């Protein structure tokens, strides 16, 4: 049996229920931890499920943030330092990753609060998550204010990639499933994956 | 063993290899079919893996398109009619969905070319994919040209949802895994999912 919900019905839904539904209908999502630091070296870590590839030349990646949420520490740190890290989440750390969404005061680092480990390397200023198997170092490129609902799109360029050597295929495909990366749906559901198949380049 | 790739190394990679890698590192992605029609009723169907939730009030969803690709039929149709559909992909149709990426001439509908079935309902002008278990009807709201790499962000509002009745949880979470929705990674890898857990709202 098919349920049909109209826009009018959506808008009449209780706010939290609508948030669950609308966060679910976009499909499975990338879910990553974004690591930042302020000018004083205070670290911050936040979970985001709106990360999307923008282009490969130059290598650009974006995410969406709400201006009115705990994520503002992430934004102010990115604007202050110009850099951040994107760290994939695996089965071993998804509960800690989810917990970074809690509203900790600014002086508390989500690294400490969730017992995830700060990792600095290659002279990059922003902190990586040591427990993450795929880590991206990003330089901030552009902030786009989405006036339609006051969210903010942040675009950055990938300046460094760290991943398990045995996950890179000959053709450039990185086997993120082999690296243990998981996906999410809605606001709080985490999923492992199982490959059906890689398909050949589509031609008419 | 960890492989590290720098921006310089990325930019020196062969173009197709870099495209595979950069498309992989953003994590698992939503993958959906976008259905449109032109003013004359000629349908078009294209696969997109850059769909992302923008906000729940109003219910907004976005995707990114390259202006120089086959996806331009999707763009011109959306601008002409103001509407489109987003259709989840399941295990039964992912090969056909992938095939919609082939460069068919404008007079060929990808519905026919891939043997997916046009479904019109509820007086919505854009065509749904009948074989899709979760279907969204979208009204175009905004086009944002991303000057950083000449891609285009399309933002639309969800005006109707169709999904299996038994997939909606009491709290509004839609169980897209139960509905058979799959995910993708990179340019060509398709994955089913297996739920680890839904986690409680995070508090300090």
């Amino acid at each position: 049996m098919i349920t049909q919900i109209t826009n009018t019905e959506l808008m009449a839904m209780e706010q939290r229920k609508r948030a669950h539904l609308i966060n679910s209908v976009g499909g499975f999502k990338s879910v990553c931890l974004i690591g930042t630091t302020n000018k004083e070296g205070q670290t911050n870590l936040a979970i985001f499920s709106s990360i999307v590839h923008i282009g490969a030349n130059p290598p650009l990646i974006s995410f969406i943030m709400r201006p009115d949420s705990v994520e503002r520490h992430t934004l102010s740190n990115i604007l202050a330092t110009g850099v951040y890290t994107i760290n994939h989440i695996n089965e071993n750390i998804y509960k800690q990753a989810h917990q970074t969404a809690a509203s900790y005061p600014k002086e508390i680092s989500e690294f400490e609060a969730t017992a995830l480990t700060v990792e600095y390397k290659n002279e990059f200023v922003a902190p990586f998550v040591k427990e993450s198997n795929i880590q991206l170092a990003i330089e901030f490129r552009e902030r786009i204010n989405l006036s339609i609902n006051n969210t903010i799109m942040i675009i950055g360029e990938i300046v460094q990639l760290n991943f398990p050597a045995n996950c890179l295929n000959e053709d450039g495909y990185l086997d993120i499933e082999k690296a243990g990366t998981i996906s999410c749906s809605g606001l709080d559901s985490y999923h492992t994956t199982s490959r059906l198949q890689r398909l050949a380049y589509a031609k008419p």
Side-chain angles (χ1 to χ4, degrees), chain A:
Chain A
M1 201 176 73
I2 302 296
T3 295
Q4 189 208 326
I5 293 184
T6 65
N7 187 273
T8 309
E9 289 164 335
L10 272 178
M11 294 311 292
M13 282 175 92
E14 185 272 315
Q15 184 185 343
R16 190 77 190 160
K17 191 168 177 177
R18 181 176 60 232
H20 272 293
L21 179 56
I22 300 301
N23 270 279
S24 305
V25 297
F28 286 101
K29 302 187 281 190
S30 169
V31 60
C32 291
L33 286 163
I34 295 190
T36 56
T37 176
N38 67 12
K39 291 273 194 185
E40 290 72 45
Q42 165 78 43
T43 60
N44 189 84
L45 192 65
I47 191 167
F48 284 89
S49 64
S50 55
I51 289 158
V52 69
H53 163 79
I54 296 288
N57 185 17
L60 299 174
I61 196 163
S62 77
F63 67 98
I64 307 287
M65 53 166 57
R66 291 179 297 157
D68 59 344
S69 74
V70 292
E71 299 152 10
R72 66 181 178 275
H73 301 157
T74 300
L75 179 60
S76 56
N77 288 347
I78 289 174
L79 296 177
T81 64
V83 291
Y84 51 107
T85 67
I86 296 179
N87 306 270
H88 284 214
I89 295 170
N90 56 62
E91 195 170 345
N92 296 326
I93 59 170
Y94 76 96
K95 292 179 186 176
Q96 292 157 284
H98 184 76
Q99 183 61 27
T100 64
S103 288
Y104 295 105
K106 189 158 189 169
E107 65 274 15
I108 303 285
S109 169
E110 291 80 5
F111 278 102
E112 286 170 46
T114 64
L116 288 166
T117 312
V118 170
E119 181 178 34
Y120 287 109
K121 58 185 172 190
N122 310 318
E123 300 181 28
F124 197 68
V125 169
F128 296 96
V129 177
K130 190 177 176 63
E131 292 83 356
S132 174
N133 296 327
I134 299 181
Q135 305 164 322
L136 288 65
I138 312 288
E139 281 182 6
F140 170 70
R141 286 289 174 266
E142 192 171 355
R143 167 188 177 159
I144 297 174
N145 296 319
L146 303 177
S147 57
I148 195 166
N149 70 346
N150 297 317
T151 54
I152 299 163
M153 183 183 197
I154 299 290
I155 300 178
E157 181 165 349
I158 302 170
V159 294
Q160 186 194 119
L161 290 172
N162 300 290
F163 53 81
N166 65 354
C167 292
L168 183 63
N169 288 15
E170 193 57 45
D171 65 358
Y173 173 74
L174 187 66
D175 191 340
I176 64 174
E177 181 171 286
K178 190 173 179 180
T181 297
I182 64 171
S183 179
C184 80
S185 69
L187 291 165
D188 54 24
S189 186
Y190 296 86
H191 307 255
T192 58
T193 66
S194 178
R195 178 172 295 105
L196 287 162
Q197 196 179 349
R198 286 189 66 191
L199 296 178
Y201 187 80
K203 293 173 186 168

